[in-house]
Structures are given as C-alpha cells and as structure tokens.
Amino acid sequence: MTPKEIIERLAAMPPPPQGVHHVPPVELVAMVTRMGRSLRQWKKETLADFARVSLSTVERVERAEPVGAESLDRIAEALGYERGAFTKPRIPTPREEAAAQFVEEMGHLEPVAVSPFDTHRQVRMVAASQAFLIYRPELGPAYDAQVAGLTEWMDLASMVMGPHAIGGGEPDRRRDLCNDVLAAVAEFRRRGVTVLVGIMDAPLPGMPDWKVAIITLTPKLSDPGAPKRRTILVDKRSVQPRPGYLPHLA
C-alpha cells in the first residue's frame, strides 16, 4: 500500500472496543515505521542493516504487509521503541487522546538545518549565538568528561568571540581558539561519535533575535544515519532560558 492508502485505511477503521487488548494493526505499524525512519532521515537500507533484517522485510512492513514478530521486534528496537511495541497486545488509546498526545509531542518540534562540525566559521557562528545546547541522549557516562571539556571550550569561545566579548579577540587568538574547539570535536569523531551543529532561531518576548546553537553528539553504532543527516527536530521548550535568566548587556 502507498502511504496515502495506509492513512485512509487507518481513518476508516472502526474504533476498537475499549478495555480489550489488541495487537497494533499492520497499518499503524507501517505508519510508525515510516515516520520513525523519516525522523532519523534513514534510508530503508539503513533501517534494515541496523535492525538486522532484509531490505524486503522493511519494505513489506512499510507497505502494511504481514511480517514475522521477530522481525517486527528488531525493527521496533532499531527505531528506539521497546521490544514488543509492534507485536504485544495492548489496550488501545482512544483516538481523541492519541491525537492529543501526538500534538503534544510533535507540536513543539522545530526543524533545524545541521552539518558536520568541522570549520572555523561554524565555531564563530556558535560563539555568536546567545546560547548553545549540547544534545547527547545516547552518550553514556564514559563521555561526561569529554562533553564537559567541549562545553568549556564553547564557553570560552563565546566569551572571546561572542556578541559581548570581554577581550582577547585578536585574530591569532581567535584562530587558535577555533583550532582548539575543532580539536575537541575531532576527539569525539575519533571515538566514533558524529558531531553536527546548527543554529536555531528562537525569538523570545523582548529578544526577537535570540539564537541558540545546537550541537548534537551521536554514536555511529546507535545511529548509523547520523553522518548524513542535514536536518534535526529540536523541542522548542528545551532552548528557552531558565527562569530568572538575564542576557548579557552590551
């Protein structure tokens, strides 16, 4: 089935009896799989490799065709869901409640263009932003010291090259500082971590030009499609200043 046909079939389904356990319909599994893959900007081949299933299996799932439970479990896990998310019977969420949950989860997401973090220009762009956010949901504690080091370098870059620089902005110093930041980034790559960066417009009341630099750290083992990603979705609520925050004044 095409995506349009899948959506039409889902819309035409009668509401399931409340309080009765049901396995998710193949149409819903197909839509969730397509959406999860699209959000990660994975090709079908990438999902197949990561889930350890054949390409034809992924294609059948996305066409809402029956597939074995083991393959569905592997695909669910590859997309970040728990094992059994596509196969275990459960009490369905009422449609109105499910729609409200979807809006709540997706309504705050903002697309942000990103690219590999590897140029002096990108360092200067991050430093010129009003804030930066390092996003590292899949990096374990073994990376804490390294993340803290990158944070310190970016704080220093913001002080030296930001809109409210406090001194030390000579050309040679800025160039050396950019090299230091990129060396810290290169160390992540050496350990198999993809580092992407982008600038998000996040205007606030009284601060229409507020920009937040987004730096994502993603292990290639858990997200093999990350190196080719050029857009990410960022929760706008995560870039709001904490209560009581006051921007630096010129």
Side-chain angles (χ1 to χ4, degrees):
M1 283 187 286
T2 66
K4 181 180 179 181
E5 290 171 337
I6 291 172
I7 293 173
E8 289 175 347
R9 283 189 58 172
L10 279 171
M13 288 181 180
Q18 292 301 304
V20 179
H21 287 72
H22 291 272
V23 173
V26 292
E27 293 83 1
L28 180 60
V29 172
M31 187 175 70
V32 171
T33 300
R34 283 177 178 270
M35 183 179 298
R37 184 171 62 80
S38 296
L39 287 174
R40 288 164 176 76
Q41 299 173 40
W42 286 0
K43 295 180 179 179
K44 293 177 183 177
E45 292 86 350
T46 303
L47 175 56
D49 288 344
F50 201 50
R52 294 172 289 116
V53 299
S54 67
L55 173 59
S56 62
T57 295
V58 172
E59 291 174 337
R60 292 201 307 275
V61 170
E62 294 196 358
R63 290 197 300 263
E65 297 176 2
V67 169
E70 177 61 27
S71 294
L72 289 175
D73 285 342
R74 290 183 179 184
I75 290 173
E77 290 180 314
L79 292 173
Y81 300 106
E82 63 181 17
R83 188 175 183 85
F86 294 164
T87 56
K88 288 184 178 179
R90 67 199 63 213
I91 297 177
T93 303
R95 288 184 178 178
E96 294 78 7
E97 182 180 340
Q101 290 176 355
F102 181 82
V103 171
E104 173 62 23
E105 292 174 3
M106 304 297 291
H108 299 284
L109 299 181
E110 183 83 16
V112 177
V114 294
S115 58
F117 194 178
D118 55 14
T119 69
H120 283 206
R121 179 175 178 272
Q122 290 170 317
V123 176
R124 292 193 297 269
M125 288 174 58
V126 174
S129 300
Q130 281 70 31
F132 66 88
L133 171 68
I134 296 181
Y135 185 63
R136 46 158 297 181
E138 299 180 38
L139 284 188
Y143 291 88
D144 286 353
Q146 196 172 345
V147 172
L150 177 60
T151 301
E152 291 179 1
W153 279 119
M154 292 314 312
D155 281 336
L156 180 58
S158 297
M159 288 190 293
V160 173
M161 298 185 289
H164 308 292
I166 60 175
E170 298 82 3
D172 288 346
R173 173 58 178 149
R174 293 198 300 268
R175 182 168 53 252
D176 290 344
L177 183 52
C178 285
N179 287 333
D180 289 335
V181 171
L182 294 179
V185 171
E187 183 61 20
F188 279 102
R189 288 199 296 268
R190 188 188 68 79
R191 296 182 66 183
V193 176
T194 298
V195 186
L196 303 176
V197 65
I199 305 298
M200 179 178 181
D201 291 320
L204 299 170
M207 294 181 282
D209 298 324
W210 184 270
K211 295 182 185 298
V212 178
I214 309 296
I215 302 172
T216 68
L217 306 174
T218 310
K220 292 181 181 179
L221 287 177
S222 62
D223 190 350
K228 297 182 179 180
R229 188 161 297 137
R230 293 299 174 263
T231 306
I232 61 173
L233 294 175
V234 178
D235 190 325
K236 291 181 287 188
R237 296 168 296 184
S238 68
V239 300
Q240 301 297 312
R242 63 185 181 276
Y245 175 87
L246 292 176
H248 294 293
L249 300 178

Tab-separated table of all heavy atoms in Angstrom, residues 139 143 185 188-195 216-220:
chain	number	residue	atom	x	y	z
A	139	LEU	N	24.817	9.173	24.558
A	139	LEU	CA	26.192	9.065	25.051
A	139	LEU	C	26.174	8.730	26.532
A	139	LEU	O	25.552	9.434	27.324
A	139	LEU	CB	26.953	10.374	24.833
A	139	LEU	CG	27.431	10.708	23.420
A	139	LEU	CD1	28.317	11.938	23.462
A	139	LEU	CD2	28.172	9.547	22.784
A	143	TYR	N	31.518	9.427	28.502
A	143	TYR	CA	31.816	10.628	27.718
A	143	TYR	C	31.638	11.912	28.527
A	143	TYR	O	31.824	13.004	27.984
A	143	TYR	CB	30.906	10.691	26.488
A	143	TYR	CG	31.192	9.643	25.442
A	143	TYR	CD1	30.587	8.389	25.505
A	143	TYR	CD2	32.063	9.895	24.389
A	143	TYR	CE1	30.839	7.422	24.544
A	143	TYR	CE2	32.319	8.935	23.424
A	143	TYR	CZ	31.706	7.703	23.508
A	143	TYR	OH	31.963	6.746	22.552
A	185	VAL	N	36.281	18.593	19.085
A	185	VAL	CA	35.263	17.929	18.267
A	185	VAL	C	35.860	16.707	17.572
A	185	VAL	O	35.233	15.638	17.507
A	185	VAL	CB	34.686	18.918	17.232
A	185	VAL	CG1	33.797	18.190	16.232
A	185	VAL	CG2	33.905	20.026	17.931
A	188	PHE	N	35.881	13.525	19.536
A	188	PHE	CA	34.623	12.774	19.518
A	188	PHE	C	34.555	11.893	18.274
A	188	PHE	O	34.172	10.719	18.353
A	188	PHE	CB	33.427	13.735	19.537
A	188	PHE	CG	33.075	14.257	20.897
A	188	PHE	CD1	33.442	15.533	21.272
A	188	PHE	CD2	32.376	13.473	21.801
A	188	PHE	CE1	33.117	16.026	22.529
A	188	PHE	CE2	32.044	13.946	23.059
A	188	PHE	CZ	32.424	15.235	23.427
A	189	ARG	N	34.906	12.450	17.137
A	189	ARG	CA	34.863	11.664	15.901
A	189	ARG	C	35.807	10.473	15.990
A	189	ARG	O	35.500	9.383	15.490
A	189	ARG	CB	35.203	12.543	14.700
A	189	ARG	CG	34.115	13.541	14.335
A	189	ARG	CD	34.291	14.040	12.908
A	189	ARG	NE	35.533	14.778	12.761
A	189	ARG	CZ	35.643	16.089	12.916
A	189	ARG	NH1	34.586	16.811	13.241
A	189	ARG	NH2	36.807	16.687	12.751
A	190	ARG	N	36.961	10.676	16.613
A	190	ARG	CA	37.913	9.578	16.754
A	190	ARG	C	37.314	8.428	17.553
A	190	ARG	O	37.635	7.255	17.317
A	190	ARG	CB	39.190	10.082	17.438
A	190	ARG	CG	40.327	9.066	17.453
A	190	ARG	CD	41.481	9.539	18.304
A	190	ARG	NE	41.123	9.584	19.717
A	190	ARG	CZ	41.077	8.513	20.515
A	190	ARG	NH1	41.340	7.310	20.036
A	190	ARG	NH2	40.752	8.641	21.792
A	191	ARG	N	36.405	8.754	18.466
A	191	ARG	CA	35.757	7.735	19.294
A	191	ARG	C	34.446	7.242	18.681
A	191	ARG	O	33.658	6.582	19.345
A	191	ARG	CB	35.506	8.291	20.698
A	191	ARG	CG	36.768	8.638	21.462
A	191	ARG	CD	36.467	9.129	22.869
A	191	ARG	NE	35.890	8.076	23.707
A	191	ARG	CZ	35.480	8.274	24.966
A	191	ARG	NH1	35.585	9.481	25.517
A	191	ARG	NH2	34.961	7.277	25.669
A	192	GLY	N	34.218	7.566	17.411
A	192	GLY	CA	33.039	7.046	16.730
A	192	GLY	C	31.764	7.812	16.990
A	192	GLY	O	30.667	7.250	16.890
A	193	VAL	N	31.888	9.100	17.305
A	193	VAL	CA	30.716	9.928	17.583
A	193	VAL	C	30.559	10.963	16.472
A	193	VAL	O	31.513	11.665	16.125
A	193	VAL	CB	30.847	10.645	18.945
A	193	VAL	CG1	29.661	11.579	19.187
A	193	VAL	CG2	30.951	9.620	20.065
A	194	THR	N	29.368	11.048	15.910
A	194	THR	CA	29.067	12.061	14.907
A	194	THR	C	28.726	13.373	15.604
A	194	THR	O	27.897	13.397	16.518
A	194	THR	CB	27.880	11.631	14.028
A	194	THR	OG1	28.223	10.427	13.336
A	194	THR	CG2	27.526	12.702	13.014
A	195	VAL	N	29.356	14.461	15.168
A	195	VAL	CA	29.114	15.778	15.759
A	195	VAL	C	28.533	16.690	14.681
A	195	VAL	O	29.192	16.976	13.678
A	195	VAL	CB	30.403	16.397	16.332
A	195	VAL	CG1	30.082	17.704	17.061
A	195	VAL	CG2	31.104	15.422	17.269
A	216	THR	N	24.879	18.362	18.313
A	216	THR	CA	24.413	17.007	18.604
A	216	THR	C	25.591	16.039	18.584
A	216	THR	O	26.454	16.102	17.710
A	216	THR	CB	23.354	16.537	17.593
A	216	THR	OG1	23.955	16.352	16.304
A	216	THR	CG2	22.235	17.562	17.472
A	217	LEU	N	25.600	15.145	19.552
A	217	LEU	CA	26.634	14.115	19.673
A	217	LEU	C	25.943	12.758	19.598
A	217	LEU	O	25.166	12.410	20.483
A	217	LEU	CB	27.377	14.260	21.004
A	217	LEU	CG	27.977	15.646	21.303
A	217	LEU	CD1	28.541	15.684	22.719
A	217	LEU	CD2	29.061	15.995	20.295
A	218	THR	N	26.222	12.011	18.537
A	218	THR	CA	25.504	10.760	18.298
A	218	THR	C	26.470	9.633	17.975
A	218	THR	O	27.236	9.738	17.013
A	218	THR	CB	24.522	10.914	17.117
A	218	THR	OG1	23.728	12.079	17.299
A	218	THR	CG2	23.622	9.698	17.009
A	219	PRO	N	26.466	8.545	18.745
A	219	PRO	CA	27.332	7.407	18.415
A	219	PRO	C	26.917	6.777	17.087
A	219	PRO	O	25.731	6.537	16.845
A	219	PRO	CB	27.096	6.432	19.578
A	219	PRO	CG	26.467	7.243	20.659
A	219	PRO	CD	25.689	8.318	19.975
A	220	LYS	N	27.878	6.523	16.231
A	220	LYS	CA	27.561	5.903	14.950
A	220	LYS	C	26.983	4.504	15.127
A	220	LYS	O	26.182	4.049	14.308
A	220	LYS	CB	28.815	5.846	14.074
A	220	LYS	CG	29.297	7.213	13.605
A	220	LYS	CD	30.524	7.091	12.719
A	220	LYS	CE	31.019	8.454	12.273
A	220	LYS	NZ	32.237	8.357	11.431
